[in-house]
Amino acid sequence: MILPIVAYGDPILKKEAADISADYPKLKELIANMFETMEGASGVGLAAPQVGLSIRLFIVDTSPFVDDEEDDEEVLELKGFRKVFINPIILDEEGEKWNFNEGCLSIPGIREDVSRKPKITIEYYDEAFKLKEETYEGLMARVIQHEYDHVDGILFTDRLNPLRKQLLRKRLENITKGIVDVDYKMKFPKARR
Ligand code: NI
């Protein structure tokens, strides 16, 4: 089932989400619905707060980054990177910060360069509630960092310099009201009926 994606301006996106336990109701169904929702919106990541649940869970699938012609092994690795992260903790971030043009399904139509470290080590539970510790680099790290921010109540726009954010103010305000061109189902906090 496709779930509506919560738009910029909804307080749930600014809230620090809570850990869940293995007996969280209908977890399997939620994860399946989140994947369906993310794919329907052509996203590479989706966090539970974006579908209205303030819990520490996010999913990633970086395969849309890879086009059919690709034969570079490192890029092809992105194709199979489809995962569920529950109660994650980023243990370490390292390397020299780099810019990547980020977007967010909750902030349609806006993309901005965001600076983050290239390598992370993360501890989390997978969908079977098995504890994992893994290290990621490059785009995989990038997507995880963006989604991890969501469960901490941080949006990529919070990481822009104040001038840049000021320039986007009107467009962000319009998104909260639903004045935006988007081809997937959304829930706007200040939409007029
Ligand atoms: Ni996002």
Side-chain angles (χ1 to χ4, degrees):
M1 189 176 73
I2 291 189
L3 309 167
I5 294 174
V6 169
Y8 181 90
D10 191 307
I12 200 163
L13 296 177
K14 302 294 282 179
K15 211 173 134 185
E16 197 181 325
D19 278 344
I20 59 168
S21 57
D23 60 3
Y24 187 82
K26 296 187 180 173
L27 183 59
K28 243 186 153 160
E29 195 181 320
L30 170 66
I31 291 167
N33 288 343
M34 283 178 66
F35 272 110
E36 197 184 335
T37 301
M38 180 176 73
E39 277 149 22
S42 308
V44 292
L46 183 69
Q50 293 182 278
V51 293
L53 294 168
S54 194
I55 58 172
R56 299 185 76 84
L57 184 162
F58 62 80
I59 59 169
V60 301
D61 183 354
T62 53
S63 42
F65 281 134
V66 188
D67 65 46
D68 296 337
E69 311 288 293
E70 194 57 61
D71 56 3
D72 183 313
E73 242 175 75
E74 233 170 84
V75 181
L76 278 172
E77 207 185 26
L78 294 169
K79 193 121 204 168
F81 186 54
R82 184 183 154 97
K83 264 177 190 286
V84 180
F85 293 80
I86 298 169
N87 303 343
I89 300 170
I90 291 184
L91 301 171
D92 192 38
E93 286 186 289
E94 54 189 305
E96 207 171 305
K97 283 188 172 181
W98 66 299
N99 274 335
F100 182 75
N101 201 243
E102 294 188 22
C104 180
L105 294 177
S106 294
I107 314 175
I110 295 182
R111 300 194 68 92
E112 290 290 330
D113 279 354
V114 180
S115 177
R116 302 183 194 266
K117 289 183 177 176
K119 189 174 174 183
I120 61 159
T121 299
I122 186 167
E123 183 187 277
Y124 66 97
Y125 291 90
D126 69 7
E127 63 271 43
F129 255 85
K130 240 179 99 183
L131 188 62
K132 307 257 180 151
E133 187 184 316
E134 287 159 358
T135 297
Y136 292 103
E137 287 182 72
L139 275 180
M140 292 190 273
R142 174 63 64 149
V143 175
I144 292 170
Q145 286 163 318
H146 176 112
E147 299 311 322
Y148 186 84
D149 269 356
H150 273 300
V151 297
D152 272 345
I154 298 166
L155 299 172
F156 82 84
T157 47
D158 297 325
R159 296 200 176 274
L160 303 176
N161 73 53
L163 176 65
R164 199 62 224 152
K165 196 168 178 186
Q166 179 61 23
L167 290 170
L168 293 172
R169 201 181 55 87
K170 186 70 197 165
R171 285 169 70 198
L172 290 170
E173 182 63 29
N174 280 343
I175 291 173
T176 70
K177 295 177 186 159
I179 308 169
V180 63
D181 212 12
V182 64
D183 60 4
Y184 48 87
K185 196 157 75 165
M186 291 196 82
K187 189 179 151 250
F188 300 100
K190 290 190 198 163
R192 288 211 210 146
R193 288 175 181 271

